[in-house]
Amino acid sequence: MERLLTRCRALPAPATCSHQLSGYIPRRFPHCAPGRGKRLVLSRMFQPQNLREDQVLSLEGKSDDLTCKSQRLMLQVGLIHPASSGCYHLLPYTVRAMEKLVRVIDQEMQAIGGQKVNMPSLSPAELWRATNRWDLMGKELLRLRDRHSKEYCLGPTHEEAITALVASQKTLSYKQLPFLLYQVTRKFRDEPRPRFGLLRGREFYMKDMYTFDSSPEAARQTYSLVCDAYSSLFDRLGLRCVKVQADVGSIGGTMSHEFQLPVDIGEDRFAICPGCSFAANVETLDLSQMNCPACQGPLTETKGIEVGHTFYLGTKYSSVFNAQFINVHGKPSLAEMGCYGLGVTRILAAAIEVLSTEDCIRWPGLLAPYQVCLIPPKKGSKEEAAAELTGHLYDHITEAVPQLRGEVLLDDRTHLTIGNRLKDANKFGYPFVIITGKRALEDPALFEVWCQNTSEVVFLTKEAVMELLSHAQVV
């Protein structure tokens, strides 16, 4: 970033301010879909803000319900709003960020051959009884009956449903395998004590993938492939996740790993060896012997948030539902399975938890709801003469930097000072905040550019701003 900013500062100066304004007719539009000549303006956004902490506390009912940074900040700036215990309205900024995260997930899953499906949230009880999980899951399973007294659950996961679906295809050949089928949908869990906002709720979004292979060897190769894709995903998001060996729990199978994001409020504890790559959830270790089994070095314990989980299932589910394929010898064989989860809404909240300051949200660069916020001068101020430059810059960015169309937001609340709007922009965490202030009246005009993720502030010409923004990455 520093080299890029240095190059931007060195760009030649543009034409004079009067030349920039000559012949320019500002175009004013209400908030609308992005497109040529249409501006997204902050005053039209549905973004309930509760910027005082006492107002945030009243939203959750009791002060002890507000116990982590991400929950407090997301409520404070209006990213989420409580609907009921453990359930939240996801408001426009959050939906934009989540849609971007889903696009990154789609890219990584489809790069390894994933095919996207969408299964019903309502899952018949007979599927779960077939695997004994109707009773095994206990009270965490949200159950209901329809008017015909038929029992269902709201799926927390879909092993039964996807295996029954594949089993219904009676003519599968080994030549068609592997299948990597995944979805991104709402999931439900009757949490006894929801907490930490989107980190532990009763309703949440999850990416769940289910794989079907022709042999144990092929299934383990697929397992490694998906784990590598998860590592690539978190690398792209700038999140330092640790892959740790884990217990298979109620999902079952013979091998399992969690992807843990180290953070003090994490509810999981895992041990990691500084001398090698070994890491494991403490539930899988003999706590009386806290040496690394791989190198005998000392283990360090830390807390983390589980943002991903992978399981090698073998034939646990395919044997129950008779999910078969015709093998190379022309005989029916049971498919070898794996399942792989990513907590979509949890990743959003966990990223905010680890990247943000106490007062301001910081996003993974790819997930920021909007990449650029433009702040024009206050109405009636000395700088108001340069106000039209902000509109000109908005149009130039959206026309000359194609990836930023729909990513630029104009803070048109010109009854507020630049300082107050900059404070709000810092809280929202736009990667780039560009202010038309006093130096925009100079010749050449200079814009004040805040690069939030690097905490740098520079004054750049319009051409230098365009050069800087041309490197912004968007999904």
Side-chain angles (χ1 to χ4, degrees):
M1 175 63 77
E2 180 58 38
R3 289 197 301 270
L4 178 58
L5 288 171
T6 300
R7 190 165 72 248
C8 290
R9 293 188 192 101
L11 287 175
T16 64
C17 182
S18 60
H19 177 71
Q20 286 175 311
L21 294 175
S22 64
Y24 174 67
I25 302 175
R27 292 170 285 186
R28 303 185 187 276
F29 291 85
H31 168 254
C32 55
R36 184 178 176 83
K38 299 178 180 179
R39 298 177 188 158
L40 293 168
V41 294
L42 186 58
S43 65
R44 298 295 298 273
M45 292 290 172
F46 180 69
Q47 200 66 25
Q49 295 184 41
N50 299 276
L51 297 179
R52 292 206 321 268
E53 187 151 336
D54 59 332
Q55 294 172 308
V56 175
L57 292 174
S58 67
L59 286 176
E60 289 285 20
K62 297 180 294 184
S63 60
D64 59 357
D65 288 335
L66 195 67
T67 50
C68 73
K69 178 170 58 179
S70 59
Q71 180 185 13
R72 173 173 55 80
L73 288 174
M74 294 181 83
L75 287 166
Q76 202 168 1
V77 304
L79 298 180
I80 58 175
H81 193 85
S84 61
S85 178
C87 297
Y88 290 86
H89 300 288
L90 305 183
L91 300 179
Y93 275 52
T94 304
V95 172
R96 281 183 64 91
M98 189 173 73
E99 288 172 344
K100 292 180 178 185
L101 176 55
V102 171
R103 284 199 287 274
V104 180
I105 291 172
D106 284 340
Q107 290 170 1
E108 294 295 337
M109 295 302 99
Q110 291 170 22
I112 60 172
Q115 300 179 66
K116 202 169 187 178
V117 298
N118 196 312
M119 291 177 277
S121 293
L122 276 177
S123 189
E126 58 262 27
L127 291 180
W128 290 74
R129 288 197 171 103
T131 58
N132 296 319
R133 292 211 298 168
W134 186 259
D135 296 321
L136 182 63
M137 293 290 289
K139 293 183 178 180
E140 288 192 0
L141 204 59
L142 277 166
R143 307 158 201 257
L144 64 154
R145 293 176 184 266
D146 68 10
R147 66 182 67 194
H148 306 294
S149 295
K150 186 172 181 179
E151 291 182 293
Y152 296 87
C153 69
L154 289 172
T157 183
H158 279 73
E159 285 80 12
E160 285 83 357
I162 192 68
T163 313
L165 172 62
V166 171
S168 70
Q169 311 304 302
K170 301 298 184 182
T171 59
L172 292 179
S173 166
Y174 73 95
K175 295 179 181 179
Q176 296 174 263
L177 302 182
F179 284 143
L180 290 78
L181 306 175
Y182 78 99
Q183 61 177 353
V184 180
T185 57
R186 291 177 186 265
K187 298 292 190 293
F188 304 86
R189 182 185 295 121
D190 194 357
E191 283 285 348
R193 186 171 178 262
R195 59 196 305 227
F196 298 149
L198 297 187
L199 290 177
R200 182 167 290 282
R202 289 179 171 167
E203 182 176 350
F204 49 94
Y205 279 88
M206 188 171 84
K207 186 285 302 177
D208 45 323
M209 172 179 271
Y210 307 91
T211 62
F212 298 81
D213 275 278
S214 59
S215 69
E217 296 76 21
R220 290 180 182 275
Q221 289 177 1
T222 298
Y223 188 94
S224 296
L225 193 68
V226 179
C227 286
D228 289 345
Y230 277 21
S231 296
S232 174
L233 168 73
F234 292 122
D235 284 346
R236 290 178 65 187
L237 298 180
L239 300 176
R240 189 182 66 84
C241 283
V242 181
K243 178 185 173 185
V244 308
Q245 71 179 33
D247 189 270
V248 297
S250 63
I251 300 289
T254 58
M255 180 170 62
S256 173
H257 289 87
E258 296 166 345
F259 286 76
Q260 293 279 354
L261 191 59
V263 62
D264 288 341
I265 68 155
E267 295 185 285
D268 291 315
R269 294 183 301 131
F270 65 94
I272 188 168
C273 177
C276 68
S277 60
F278 177 84
N281 191 303
V282 296
E283 295 174 352
T284 68
L285 298 174
D286 179 359
L287 295 182
S288 65
Q289 181 62 41
M290 284 300 286
N291 284 337
C292 175
C295 69
Q296 298 306 309
L299 292 173
T300 301
E301 188 175 314
T302 187
K303 293 181 179 181
I305 298 171
E306 178 194 322
V307 289
H309 207 149
T310 61
F311 300 83
Y312 173 51
L313 301 174
T315 60
K316 173 180 170 63
Y317 294 90
S318 58
S319 61
V320 173
F321 295 102
N322 203 29
Q324 296 183 331
F325 66 96
I326 303 303
N327 65 25
V328 68
H329 303 295
K331 304 293 184 180
S333 294
L334 291 173
E336 294 279 336
M337 290 179 57
C339 68
Y340 310 85
L342 284 172
V344 177
T345 39
R346 182 178 284 190
I347 289 172
L348 283 181
I352 289 173
E353 186 71 35
V354 300
L355 298 177
S356 300
T357 68
E358 285 299 318
D359 301 314
C360 301
I361 286 176
R362 292 295 177 263
W363 302 89
L366 289 177
L367 304 188
Y370 294 93
Q371 289 289 318
V372 182
C373 178
L374 300 181
I375 300 180
K378 181 183 179 182
K379 187 175 182 179
S381 67
K382 295 179 180 178
E383 297 83 20
E384 189 179 13
E388 291 183 350
L389 283 177
T390 312
H392 195 182
L393 181 63
Y394 185 110
D395 296 339
H396 197 54
I397 293 170
T398 56
E399 290 170 6
V401 188
Q403 73 266 32
L404 291 183
R405 289 173 188 163
E407 293 287 336
V408 183
L409 192 63
L410 178 65
D411 189 343
D412 60 331
R413 301 172 301 163
T414 53
H415 61 286
L416 298 176
T417 66
I418 285 177
N420 284 335
R421 283 175 288 162
L422 176 60
K423 186 180 297 185
D424 285 354
N426 283 334
K427 277 190 173 291
F428 279 108
Y430 308 102
F432 300 98
V433 179
I434 303 175
I435 299 170
T436 308
K438 293 179 181 178
R439 299 195 64 180
L441 297 171
E442 297 178 6
D443 186 8
L446 294 175
F447 296 92
E448 185 178 344
V449 181
W450 290 64
C451 304
Q452 302 284 36
N453 291 336
T454 59
S455 301
E456 295 173 277
V457 183
V458 292
F459 289 88
L460 301 175
T461 63
K462 184 183 77 173
E463 285 73 13
V465 169
M466 302 304 297
E467 167 66 14
L468 177 65
L469 297 182
S470 69
H471 296 274
Q473 294 185 345
V474 180
V475 289

